Amino acid sequence: MRLSEIDPKTMESKIHKGLFLCGEILDAFGPIGGYNFFWAWATGRAAGLGASRTQ
Ligand SMILES: Cc1cc2nc3c(=O)[nH]c(=O)nc-3n(C[C@H](O)[C@H](O)[C@H](O)COP(=O)(O)OP(=O)(O)OC[C@H]3O[C@@H](n4cnc5c(N)ncnc54)[C@H](O)[C@@H]3O)c2cc1C
């Protein structure tokens, strides 16, 4: 999934509202160059918080 298709504050898809993404499914691994665990945890936290705010 392209990063441009995601709201970086909530990790919600701009294409499919109500769908929150995190970790390796996002196309960040070239740019970040190896901090994969950090990416998975940080985006997972953001996506969880983002999803909980939509309830
Ligand atoms: C051998 C190896 C070594 C690594 N070493 C490092 C390292 O030292 N440092 C680092 O930062 N990164 C490392 N990585 C990368 C890091 O492990 C991954 O980037 C990170 O775990 C991705 O997290 P994720 O939650 O996005 O995906 P994953 O950890 O792959 O989690 C996805 C989960 O979804 C589950 N799943 C899949 N399909 C379905 C389905 N249909 N229904 C329900 N569940 C499903 C899977 O079983 C899995 O539990 C390593 C990777 C590998 C393979």
Side-chain angles (χ1 to χ4, degrees):
M1 175 78 58
R2 290 182 188 150
L3 295 181
S4 61
E5 295 176 0
I6 298 291
D7 177 341
K9 288 188 181 159
T10 63
M11 308 312 291
E12 186 173 19
S13 168
K14 295 176 183 173
I15 295 169
H16 298 285
K17 293 295 176 190
L19 177 65
F20 295 80
L21 301 112
C22 60
E24 225 166 48
I25 201 167
L26 298 168
D27 189 15
F29 292 93
I32 65 172
Y35 296 95
N36 301 15
F37 286 151
F38 174 80
W39 176 256
W41 296 327
T43 58
R45 180 178 187 276
L49 290 172
S52 70
R53 288 188 190 116
T54 65
Q55 301 305 310

